[in-house]
Amino acid sequence: MDLYVKKKNKEVMRKNHYHSAGNSKRAAAYKYGYKSGLELTVSEQIKTAEYPLNYETETLNYKVPERQAKYTPDFVFTKKTGELMYIETKGRWTSADRLKMKHVLASNPGIDIRMVFQTPNQKISKNSKTTYEMYANKLGILHVAKKEIPAEWLSECLKTGEEPVTIKTFFK
């Protein structure tokens, strides 16, 4: 099946293809290399707040029973302590995404992954009473119920040009 069709003497991508743009925000996101309008919105917030924009720059290994796998979080920040903070944006949190996150957390104990939900009160399935927010709580993931990263989270991170604080320990 061809992914492109001719319309008005131009080749355009079919509407149901993965990269089709159903709305103008998503189309703009694709133009700048993002997969969703929410990722574009959050990236704009990061740039405006003068933090370094690290979009999908890290890949974390994790184990799915019987195989090795990799996960690439949406945004990566360096905290003032020098540790990393990962931010994942989710408009739709599928069962496959939830299972992946469960495996990532199990394979990387102590990792700081936080989530920004577009619709946190969305049920995980038609027949479930569990919402995205409830499931994130169950996994122990910090999350927010709005479309941008909270200022409190950003204040933990280094801005462009800043250096991490060296932590003094008793034993040196």
Side-chain angles (χ1 to χ4, degrees):
M1 180 168 138
D2 190 15
L3 296 176
Y4 294 90
V5 292
K6 283 244 187 223
K7 284 191 178 176
K8 296 182 182 176
N9 295 327
K10 290 194 320 193
E11 274 198 352
V12 293
M13 214 175 271
R14 287 185 185 274
K15 205 58 167 158
N16 289 336
H17 186 265
Y18 173 76
H19 288 293
S20 68
N23 63 40
S24 60
K25 189 71 171 181
R26 189 178 307 149
Y30 290 148
K31 178 180 173 185
Y32 294 106
Y34 299 102
K35 295 183 192 98
S36 71
L38 180 58
E39 287 180 357
L40 177 62
T41 299
V42 169
S43 73
E44 289 168 348
Q45 177 205 3
I46 293 167
K47 283 188 240 172
T48 301
E50 297 181 359
Y51 286 90
L53 180 60
N54 297 309
Y55 175 73
E56 292 189 351
T57 58
E58 299 280 326
T59 300
L60 303 173
N61 293 318
Y62 68 100
K63 288 183 182 175
V64 176
E66 305 302 319
R67 70 178 176 93
Q68 279 288 112
K70 293 186 185 283
Y71 162 66
T72 304
D74 291 334
F75 300 97
V76 180
F77 291 92
T78 303
K79 293 164 59 170
K80 292 180 179 177
T81 60
E83 298 170 333
L84 296 178
M85 175 195 303
Y86 302 98
I87 304 288
E88 182 68 29
T89 58
K90 285 292 176 198
R92 200 166 152 255
W93 202 16
T94 65
S95 62
D97 290 337
R98 293 190 304 272
L99 182 61
K100 181 195 307 181
M101 187 58 65
K102 191 174 180 179
H103 290 308
V104 168
L105 292 169
S107 299
N108 298 279
I111 192 168
D112 188 358
I113 294 183
R114 303 176 188 197
M115 298 190 82
V116 175
F117 289 116
Q118 186 168 351
T119 52
N121 296 324
Q122 176 74 36
K123 305 278 192 249
I124 62 172
S125 71
K126 289 179 190 176
N127 301 325
S128 177
K129 293 181 181 177
T130 305
T131 63
Y132 292 171
E133 190 170 23
M134 292 164 72
Y135 197 83
N137 285 334
K138 178 181 171 185
L139 293 179
I141 299 172
L142 283 176
H143 60 280
V144 289
K146 54 184 179 179
K147 295 181 182 181
E148 57 182 41
I149 301 170
E152 301 84 52
W153 291 4
L154 289 174
S155 69
E156 296 176 43
C157 302
L158 297 173
K159 287 193 171 196
T160 305
E162 289 183 332
E163 294 292 322
V165 176
T166 52
I167 299 173
K168 295 180 182 177
T169 60
F170 183 73
F171 302 103
K172 193 160 186 183

